[in-house]
Amino acid sequence: MAEFLYRVGRACARRAWTVLALWLALLLASGAAFLLFSGELEDSFSIPGTPTDEVEQLLSDKFSGMGGGTGTVVYQTEDGSAFTGEQRDAIADRVEEAAEVPGVENAIDPFATEGERAEQRRELESGREELEAGLADLEAGQEELDRNRAQAEAAGLLEQSEAALDAEQAVIDQNREDLETGLAELERGESLLEMASEIRTVSEDGDTALVNIAFSDSQMEVPQETRDAVMAVFGDDPVPGTTVDFGNDMSRSVPSLVSVTEVIGVVVAGVVLIVMLGTLVGAGLPILTALVGVGIATLVAMSLSGVLEMASVTPILGLMLGLAVGIDYALFIINRHRRQLKQGFGVGESIGLANGTAGNAVVFAGTTVLIALLGLNLTGIGFLGLMGSVGAIAIAVAVFIAITLVPALLSLVGPRVLSRRERGRLAEEAPAPGRDSSEQVRPMSTGRAVAQALVTVIALGVVALPALGLRLGMPDGSSEPTESTQYRAHTAVEENFGAGQNGTLLVAAGLTGGPTGASAERNAEAERAEIAEVLYSYDDVVAVAPIAVSDDQTMAIFQVVPAEGPSSESTEELVHDLRALEPIEGTGPLGVAGMTSGNIDISETLSDALPTYLTVVVGLSLVILLLVFRSVFVPVVATFGFILSFLAALGGVVAVYQWGWLGGLVGIENTGPVLNFLPTLLVGILFGLAMDYMLFIGTGMREAYVHGAPSRTAVMQGFRAGRAVVTAAAIIMISVFGGFVFSHSVMISSIGFALAFGVLIDAFVVRMALIPALMHLAGDAAWWLPRWLDRLLPDIDVEGASLERRHPPGRETAEAERETASQRG
């Protein structure tokens, strides 16, 4: 591979303008594909086959118009007074208009709903009065009949009048039975109305109203155009004297691909490059090539959104990785090229060698990231696999850019990749090609190594402790920026209707069914009331309302309002408790659906997939490092370090985004559960980046050891050889990822923070503190490998040492001189 990349680098350097034109053509083609094929990005996630998905499918089969998504529109009066009649009528008109929007199953007028509830209450009160009056009349009739029977018996005429008296008694008994049945049904109705009393659409003080929208498609499949059309009905023509906001189930803000904070991150990366390289030309090349790569990868990813359901965070993830990795990979090759130029190599010769050595390491490092990202498809979770695939596209483009476009641009800039001072010093000293002026180093003391290892492990363990309290979920309205319509709607609902109204559950319960007719309906009503009572008995349930019964009397649907919000632990526990419940024996357990339970199911599916994926990644890490370092100890400690980095990064995310520690520093206004797919995503990305740093630190140690340096001295030689470039690369990655931390989207912010903090921990704590200490303590044992395994493993020359032997320094100059001499002769 190193020889091949050497030739690729030389070829690209000789045909620099052709290479530049090809990449420009690819960029333009990607842009054309985006314009022709791009589609709509989603801001929701779904996993087929979850319990929620199964219940929604069942409801769609059993109930016409059920199983679709819902949306919430919140009206409030500006002065806090009750809605006027004119305002009520205006809102009702807009509700009717919204009901006509294609894709909307129904839109419910909140004032009409409250009017119907009040009418039901009046009817029940009137019915009770009538039934109680009927019972009173019946008791009077019974008393009169009893007197007549007594009189007949006293007169000796009981036998003659007994038949008539018995007939009259039978009528009274039947009437009493009918009245008592009616009273029982009335009491059942009163009980159901009381259990549903907290489910309101107009607040008690009359200044807030909820318009509930029912969509035809399921919650995760409602097109954003449909939501936008509904919001336009209410938002474009405001009702005078009122404000209108839209819940998180309606308003989906798609984050922009590029914002000011990301630009600041790139600027910081540029400053780091200028400080490290000392030249604007050298610093500009990695940023330029990274931007070209990001442009191509992002446009390609966006063009796929027309045929694939792609979440809004997916191309942004590719943008994050493409920028960070693209800058770093170009930097590795440019840094190697600069070092060789300062050692006296010719420009063309140096480009080829840099591409064959550092470029070889880039290809290997990029491949590890690529495999880890593509491995996300092994989880079986579609949207997560797509994220990994899009990230892999960004990585692949970054690698190809690094080994082709970077050599071409290095050829065009020539010696100007060095600063003016460096070029002047080079001209004065004229070093012999390949001269190595590295300083002599001494190994660290064993005491320092022990202390360094203990301190880093303990510190990382402390930072990782919050991960024990990890709770996964999806962001809801409470985690949106306080100025957003989603947050205002969420807060208004919580303050006026209770926190649980933001996360209502749809509960499906089986009934015994039976022959159609009045008796079957009465039996279904009785069972429905019984189930409602059981649901209402839970401490974490504040309201229950029956919605419908299927035509075959085998299923009933209830709306259940939990005591707390959709992201609370109590609501999550309630969903599990209800699913384990079988109120009517023989009808099966309850089913729970709705946006809240759907998010809970997605979080649990991702949690279940994480251990398997982590095991795969850890196994992959051991194999890759075993091939590279030909050692048993190095892969083990390197993988151990990766696990520590992952847990520490996760602990930091929990502390900031779930607990709110130092949240103000990164603009976190409201806390909540950690984004449910973040841990799995973090495993894949952080693994690849950790392997990058391990390669660039560890291969220097192995190279020094193989060339005869004592094992502990080799540790420090390798560390000193790689620390500058790894430091710069890590700072650049932290800067780029950190730019996304200040995004208004909690999803983007938490991913950016996790990656930035993970890189900080892995590069500066694990790779540059823990690993050198452990390698020192292991001594020669760090490079032990069983002979039988040594014979089986292929020789992977990541740093291209064999290439350097085949292309010794100055060979190109000597060949050129011989060719010139022969021409003269």
Side-chain angles (χ1 to χ4, degrees), residues 65-126:
M66 290 295 295
T70 59
T72 307
V73 182
V74 182
Y75 272 101
Q76 288 185 289
T77 58
E78 293 178 346
D79 58 3
S81 61
F83 290 97
T84 64
E86 291 180 354
Q87 290 171 335
R88 290 169 178 248
D89 293 340
I91 292 173
D93 291 341
R94 285 155 180 76
V95 171
E96 290 182 9
E97 186 179 349
E100 301 300 321
V101 173
V104 174
E105 188 72 25
N106 193 16
I108 301 173
D109 181 355
F111 305 106
T113 301
E114 289 300 325
E116 292 170 4
R117 187 198 300 271
E119 181 61 28
Q120 287 177 350
R121 186 174 289 106
R122 285 193 294 270
E123 289 178 358
L124 288 172
E125 292 173 354
S126 175

Side-chain angles (χ1 to χ4, degrees), residues 110-398:
F111 305 106
T113 301
E114 289 300 325
E116 292 170 4
R117 187 198 300 271
E119 181 61 28
Q120 287 177 350
R121 186 174 289 106
R122 285 193 294 270
E123 289 178 358
L124 288 172
E125 292 173 354
S126 175
R128 175 171 286 280
E129 290 176 0
E130 291 178 5
L131 287 172
E132 289 176 348
L135 284 173
D137 292 342
L138 200 64
E139 290 303 321
Q142 182 68 56
E143 290 176 3
E144 184 178 353
L145 179 62
D146 291 343
R147 284 196 300 270
N148 291 338
R149 185 182 294 278
Q151 291 172 0
E153 186 176 2
L157 300 174
L158 181 61
E159 216 174 294
Q160 294 90 328
S161 58
E162 188 169 12
L165 291 172
D166 287 345
E168 191 175 346
Q169 182 66 56
V171 171
I172 291 175
D173 290 342
Q174 182 62 50
N175 288 340
R176 180 182 288 108
E177 182 179 346
D178 291 342
L179 288 172
E180 289 176 349
T181 300
L183 188 61
E185 291 178 355
L186 183 140
E187 289 174 347
R188 197 156 52 230
E190 289 177 334
S191 176
L192 290 174
L193 192 63
E194 176 61 27
M195 286 187 284
S197 61
E198 294 299 320
I199 302 177
R200 304 179 59 87
T201 54
V202 179
S203 61
E204 293 184 1
D205 55 9
D207 70 342
T208 306
L210 305 181
V211 178
N212 293 312
I213 308 294
F215 296 103
S216 302
D217 294 322
S218 67
Q219 190 74 46
M220 302 300 180
E221 297 176 352
V222 179
Q224 189 59 45
E225 308 95 73
T226 303
R227 291 190 176 99
D228 291 340
V230 172
M231 289 190 289
V233 170
F234 296 100
D236 291 353
D237 185 17
V239 176
T242 69
T243 61
V244 61
D245 287 300
F246 304 97
N248 205 47
D249 49 8
M250 282 283 290
S251 180
R252 303 290 180 88
S253 55
V254 178
S256 60
L257 280 174
V258 180
S259 66
V260 175
T261 53
E262 285 92 76
V263 174
I264 292 174
V266 175
V267 171
V268 173
V271 172
V272 173
L273 289 169
I274 292 173
V275 171
M276 178 184 179
L277 303 178
T279 166
L280 289 174
V281 173
L285 287 181
I287 294 178
L288 174 62
T289 55
L291 290 176
V292 172
V294 161
I296 293 172
T298 304
L299 290 171
V300 168
M302 294 286 285
S303 67
L304 298 175
S305 62
V307 293
L308 299 173
E309 291 186 5
M310 185 176 294
S312 58
V313 70
T314 303
I316 295 178
L317 176 65
L319 179 65
M320 279 189 200
L321 292 174
L323 270 177
V325 172
I327 294 174
D328 276 4
Y329 287 175
L331 171 63
F332 293 146
I333 295 176
I334 292 171
N335 186 62
R336 181 65 177 248
H337 173 59
R338 280 169 42 83
R339 190 168 76 239
Q340 290 171 170
L341 288 180
K342 287 186 285 187
Q343 292 173 357
F345 285 80
V347 172
E349 184 181 14
S350 178
I351 290 174
L353 285 173
N355 214 47
T357 52
N360 192 37
V362 163
V363 170
F364 197 87
T367 302
T368 62
V369 185
L370 199 72
I371 293 172
L373 288 172
L374 291 175
L376 289 170
N377 290 280
L378 298 176
T379 62
I381 299 170
F383 73 83
L384 194 60
L386 183 58
M387 285 183 185
S389 299
V390 169
I393 291 174
I395 298 298
V397 172

Side-chain angles (χ1 to χ4, degrees), residues 12 129 438 566 654:
C12 291
E129 290 176 0
S438 60
V654 170

Side-chain angles (χ1 to χ4, degrees), residues 814-824:
E815 290 177 350
E817 290 176 352
R818 284 196 300 270
E819 183 177 348
T820 302
S822 63
Q823 290 175 351
R824 289 176 179 174

